[in-house]
Amino acid sequence: MERLQKVLAQAGVASRRSSEELIKQGRVKVNGAIVTELGTKVDPASDIILVDNKSIAQEKHVYLLVNKPTGVITSMHDPQGRKTVRDLVKSINERVYPVGRLDYDTSGLLLMTNDGDLANRLAHPSYEIDKVYRAWVKGIPSKASVNLLATGIELEDGMTSPGEAEILFIDKAHNRAQIQLTIHEGRNRQVRRMCEAIGHPVVTLERIRVGFLTLDEVRSGGFRHLKPQEVKHLKKVLK
Ligand code: URA
């Protein structure tokens, strides 16, 4: 027997926390009865579990590479009515959800899937998956500051772990620079806070790569399915 929220997360319905919300909202039925108590034990092999009256067992795994524009929230629902990443993948029937998050003001590569297991591993810093960002920042950072971004910088939630950082363009006329940053963690607003910490706040931020996956031809606001060999490769990397 397993806890209901764990079974939902493992089936790729939603993250563990979002699964708890689904239960509390009365959207989950076990053998025909609505269950709102967190921690209810179920047998995934024999109990019939429905979310919004749809069986959790039926979904095949779907892996999407989305090019999120700015002005879209990385959430499946926004009480304030802003556009969400769910709106970007409306044509997909499966309940995919985002792997990690990009800020409202950040654009770029976001993976979405209903494979909870792979999503958890992708988001976990211990796998050291590269996340590569391009940022235009205010002012022209010194080499020493850029080195700090790479080696580690003290933020309010601790030191950042080592990554890579380089200046791509210096635009003296507009007093700004473009930097590329590779990190392996996914703390809240991490890149923005790192750039702020060296005194060069981010003006625009885009994620251009996650692991071996790049945005290639995917237009802003569009998405594509991962190819079977890409999924296979991801699973191998995340073993
Ligand atoms: N770091 C940030 O500051 N914002 C993002 O959206 C992603 C990484």
Side-chain angles (χ1 to χ4, degrees):
M1 299 289 271
E2 304 247 38
R3 289 159 77 84
L4 182 55
Q5 57 265 44
K6 185 173 173 198
V7 173
L8 295 180
Q10 276 174 348
V13 170
S15 66
R16 188 81 66 94
R17 239 185 58 207
S18 304
S19 295
E20 291 177 359
E21 285 306 311
L22 291 174
I23 296 169
K24 284 198 244 165
Q25 289 163 7
R27 292 167 62 185
V28 182
K29 279 187 192 162
V30 179
N31 301 328
I34 292 177
V35 171
T36 52
E37 190 160 331
L38 296 179
T40 299
K41 293 275 174 70
V42 293
D43 180 351
S46 61
D47 287 329
I48 296 171
I49 303 168
L50 308 181
V51 176
D52 294 337
N53 291 319
K54 258 173 83 179
S55 166
I56 64 164
Q58 282 164 6
E59 282 195 358
K60 67 174 190 318
H61 283 157
V62 173
Y63 306 87
L64 305 177
L65 187 160
V66 180
N67 187 351
K68 184 187 104 58
T70 59
V72 175
I73 183 163
T74 308
S75 157
M76 299 310 276
H77 173 73
D78 182 38
Q80 294 175 44
R82 290 172 295 183
K83 193 167 180 177
T84 71
V85 289
R86 170 183 252 164
D87 298 320
L88 301 178
V89 297
K90 266 198 188 128
S91 55
I92 298 293
N93 287 328
E94 289 81 5
R95 270 181 301 249
V96 291
Y97 59 95
V99 178
R101 62 189 294 282
L102 289 178
D103 298 334
Y104 185 70
D105 295 335
T106 303
S107 62
L109 199 161
L110 180 73
L111 293 173
M112 294 182 73
T113 183
N114 55 356
D115 181 343
D117 194 37
L118 194 82
N120 283 339
R121 282 189 271 159
L122 261 171
H124 203 278
S126 66
Y127 287 99
E128 300 239 323
I129 297 291
D130 284 352
K131 293 176 193 123
V132 185
Y133 294 88
R134 284 202 177 154
W136 280 100
V137 298
K138 275 192 194 155
I140 319 282
S142 66
K143 276 227 169 79
S145 308
V146 174
N147 279 343
L148 266 184
L149 291 178
T151 51
I153 196 160
E154 184 75 39
L155 298 178
E156 63 201 21
D157 49 0
M159 286 291 280
T160 60
S161 60
E164 290 161 40
E166 61 177 313
I167 297 193
L168 299 180
F169 288 112
I170 290 178
D171 178 358
K172 278 207 174 121
H174 298 97
N175 188 36
R176 59 181 192 162
Q178 192 186 34
I179 58 178
Q180 180 162 306
L181 210 68
T182 303
I183 61 174
H184 306 114
E185 304 164 288
R187 299 194 221 163
N188 195 23
R189 298 180 76 80
Q190 181 164 346
V191 173
R192 289 173 198 276
R193 289 191 291 132
M194 289 170 78
C195 293
E196 188 89 43
I198 59 160
H200 295 280
V202 163
V203 183
T204 63
L205 183 60
E206 182 182 26
R207 182 155 71 189
I208 59 163
R209 178 160 77 77
V210 172
F212 59 88
L213 296 166
T214 59
L215 281 171
D216 359 273
E217 315 279 270
V218 180
R219 66 172 175 85
S220 174
F223 69 88
R224 71 168 175 88
H225 286 266
L226 293 193
K227 298 176 189 133
Q229 66 265 34
E230 289 174 325
V231 175
K232 206 166 149 193
H233 190 52
L234 260 187
K235 288 184 176 167
K236 203 166 152 196
V237 173
L238 294 169
K239 236 184 190 144

